[in-house]
Amino acid sequence: MTALRPAAEETGTPPDRLAAFAVPLGCGALAAFGAAVGPGLVVGILFAPAVMLPLGLVLLVGIAFANAAILRAATGRRRIGLAVVLTLLVPAAIGAELVAQGEIPLDPRYGVPVPVVIGALVAGISTFALPRWAKLVGGLTIVLAAVLYGWQAASDAAQEAAAARASNVVAREAMYDNLLPGATTTLTGARTDLRTLTGEVAEVGVDRDGRELTITMSAWGDPGEEDPDGFACWLLSSGEGSWIEGQTYADFADRCRIVDGGWASSDGLTFGTYRDGNWVTVDAGPAATVEDVTAVASTLTDVPEAQRRAHWEVMSDLPAG
C-alpha cells in the first residue's frame, strides 16, 4: 500500500518558499498602490477635507489589515506591529517626497516612478518577517534604496546650492551694473578715496597736500525743456527750495556763475557740471582754496573700473543694515 505524501510534496514548493515571494510581493504591491493614490488624496484633503480625510484613513486602515493578513497567511504568525510599520511607511515616504520635490505629481526617481520605489522599499522591509536568506535580500534592498536616495539628496542639495550661488552672482552683477560710474581726478599729487558708490550717489574724497575736497556724483536727470543754466545753478545751490517751472539763470545769478566747463558758486568754492547725464560737484573742504577746486574740476575723470569693483566687493559683503 502506497503511503500518503505531505501536501508540500504534492505542490512541489515548500510553504516557506511561497512566503518568501508572497510577503514582499503582496506588501510591496499594497505600498505601491497606496503611494500611487496618496498624492491625489493629499490634494483632495486640501480642497475637501470633510470627504477625503475619512477616505484616506479608511484606505490606510485597509492597507494595514491587508498587510497583517498577508503576513499571517504566509508565516503563520501574527505580525501586527510589522504590518502597522509597513503601512505607515507609505504616508511617511509620500510626505518626504512632497517636502523634497515641493509639487504634485511627484517626479520619478532615477527614471523609476515614486510608487514603485516606495513599494520596493516596503517589500524589502517586509522580509524581516521571513527566515534566513530572505532577510538578507530585504536588508540589501533597504540599504540600496537608502544609498540611492541619500546620494540623490546630496546631489540635489549641491545643485540647489550651486544654483543659489549663480543666482546671487547674477543679482550682484545686475546691481553692480546699476551703480553710478563715479567721478575722480587725475590731478598730479592728489590722493583720492572712493567713499560711497551706489545707484544714486558716488562720493570721492580728495587730499591735496592736506587740503581736502569732495567730488560727488548724483543721479540727476536732464533738465529737459527748462533753462539748463538755471537748472544747474539750482542744483549747485543744493536744491534750495523746490524747482519752479520757468526759472532761468537770472533767478540764480546772485549766487551762481557760468564758468569754463560748468557752473560755480559765487565764492568759487563749489563747482558743478554734468558727466554722462549725471550731476557732479567739486566742493572745497578744510583748507581747500578756489585754485584747488579749479584744478580738480579741470581734471575730472571716471573712477577706474578696478577701484569701483574692489569697493563694490567690500561693500556687498557687509551685513545688511
Side-chain angles (χ1 to χ4, degrees), residues 108-301:
R109 289 290 188 180
Y110 302 102
V112 181
V114 168
V116 175
V117 177
I118 295 176
L121 179 63
V122 170
I125 296 176
S126 71
T127 60
F128 288 128
L130 304 174
R132 297 188 298 275
W133 60 269
K135 291 182 179 180
L136 177 61
V137 174
L140 291 176
T141 302
I142 297 169
V143 171
L144 178 61
V147 169
L148 290 176
Y149 264 70
W151 181 85
Q152 184 163 14
S155 177
D156 291 345
Q159 291 179 5
E160 290 177 2
R165 288 194 297 270
S167 177
N168 184 50
V169 169
V170 171
R172 287 179 59 182
E173 285 302 309
M175 294 176 65
Y176 181 78
D177 292 339
N178 289 327
L179 297 177
L180 292 179
T184 186
T185 178
T186 58
L187 187 62
T188 303
R191 296 193 302 273
T192 61
D193 173 34
L194 180 55
R195 300 171 180 170
T196 304
L197 183 63
T198 70
E200 299 295 328
V201 177
E203 183 178 289
V204 173
V206 181
D207 185 345
R208 192 184 187 201
D209 296 327
R211 301 187 300 278
E212 299 178 3
L213 303 96
T214 302
I215 304 173
T216 304
M217 175 179 283
S218 304
W220 292 99
D222 191 284
E225 297 181 358
E226 300 296 326
D227 174 37
D229 293 327
F231 192 77
C233 285
W234 174 71
L235 293 176
L236 194 64
S237 59
S238 301
E240 293 178 2
S242 300
W243 172 258
I244 300 175
E245 185 177 352
Q247 290 184 118
T248 65
Y249 172 68
D251 296 302
F252 303 93
D254 59 334
R255 55 185 185 273
C256 176
R257 53 194 176 88
I258 301 173
V259 298
D260 185 25
W263 302 265
S265 60
S266 56
D267 59 8
L269 294 178
T270 302
F271 169 84
T273 188
Y274 283 105
R275 288 185 64 81
D276 299 325
N278 297 307
W279 178 247
V280 177
T281 60
V282 178
D283 296 287
T289 65
V290 174
E291 185 273 337
D292 292 321
V293 173
T294 302
V296 171
S298 63
T299 55
L300 289 176
T301 187

Side-chain angles (χ1 to χ4, degrees), residues 21-35 67 70 86 90 115-124 126:
F21 291 101
V23 169
L25 287 176
C27 295
L30 285 172
F33 170 73
N67 279 328
I70 291 172
L86 296 178
V90 176
V116 175
V117 177
I118 295 176
L121 179 63
V122 170
S126 71

Side-chain angles (χ1 to χ4, degrees), residues 15-16 18-20 22-24 27 67-80 82 126-131 135:
D16 59 335
L18 290 175
V23 169
C27 295
N67 279 328
I70 291 172
L71 294 173
R72 177 66 182 271
T75 65
R77 298 175 58 187
R78 298 179 65 184
R79 299 279 186 170
I80 303 300
L82 181 58
S126 71
T127 60
F128 288 128
L130 304 174
K135 291 182 179 180

Side-chain angles (χ1 to χ4, degrees), residues 3-21:
L4 294 176
R5 291 179 297 176
E9 293 181 1
E10 294 177 354
T11 59
T13 305
D16 59 335
R17 289 277 182 86
L18 290 175
F21 291 101

